[in-house]
Amino acid sequence: ARSSQATEDSVDTVNGSSLSEEDDVEALKKKVRNSPEWQQAVRKYKLTGSTIGLEDEYLLAGKPERSTSGKSFIWEAYKTNDLGLPIENATPVCLKVSSNLEALSRE
C-alpha cells in the first residue's frame, strides 16, 4: 500500500518528505509516536498524547484544571508541526475545553 511505503523512511528523514495524501500523513504521525523524538517530547512537555484543533493542532499536556464554574477544563497545550511533534522552542498555550459551545462563544 502506498501509505506504508511513505512510512518506510526513518523519522530523521521525514522532515524533508512532502506527502500529499492525508492518510500518508496520518500513517507517518503514527510512526512518529513510536520514535525516540516522541518519547523525549512526552517527557519534556508532559504530553498526554491527545490532540485538539482544526486548522492548527495542539497536543494537550499535564492534567487539566476545572474552571470556576466546573463546566469546563483548562489545559496547557503545545502547537504541533506537520509530524505531530511540538514545534521547536514550543511555548505553552492555555486552552479552555467545554461541550457548552454557547458559553465558549461568550468568552
Side-chain angles (χ1 to χ4, degrees), residues 52-69:
I52 192 168
L54 297 173
E55 293 175 16
D56 291 329
E57 192 170 73
Y58 292 84
L59 281 160
L60 300 179
K63 294 187 186 257
E65 293 184 30
R66 274 222 187 258
S67 64
T68 53
S69 70

Side-chain angles (χ1 to χ4, degrees), residues 54-90:
L54 297 173
E55 293 175 16
D56 291 329
E57 192 170 73
Y58 292 84
L59 281 160
L60 300 179
K63 294 187 186 257
E65 293 184 30
R66 274 222 187 258
S67 64
T68 53
S69 70
K71 297 178 181 178
S72 303
F73 290 97
I74 311 297
W75 283 91
E76 186 173 275
Y78 295 90
K79 189 172 180 178
T80 66
N81 63 19
D82 292 339
L83 298 175
L85 291 167
I87 59 172
E88 195 169 324
N89 300 318

Side-chain angles (χ1 to χ4, degrees), residues 32-44 85:
V32 167
R33 292 280 175 115
N34 294 318
S35 72
E37 291 85 356
W38 172 257
Q39 296 304 320
Q40 181 181 0
V42 167
R43 286 189 299 277
K44 181 177 180 180
L85 291 167

Side-chain angles (χ1 to χ4, degrees), residues 19-38:
L19 302 173
S20 58
E21 294 183 20
E22 190 174 315
D23 57 338
D24 287 342
V25 173
E26 290 307 312
L28 191 54
K29 283 182 182 181
K30 190 173 184 178
K31 185 170 183 171
V32 167
R33 292 280 175 115
N34 294 318
S35 72
E37 291 85 356
W38 172 257

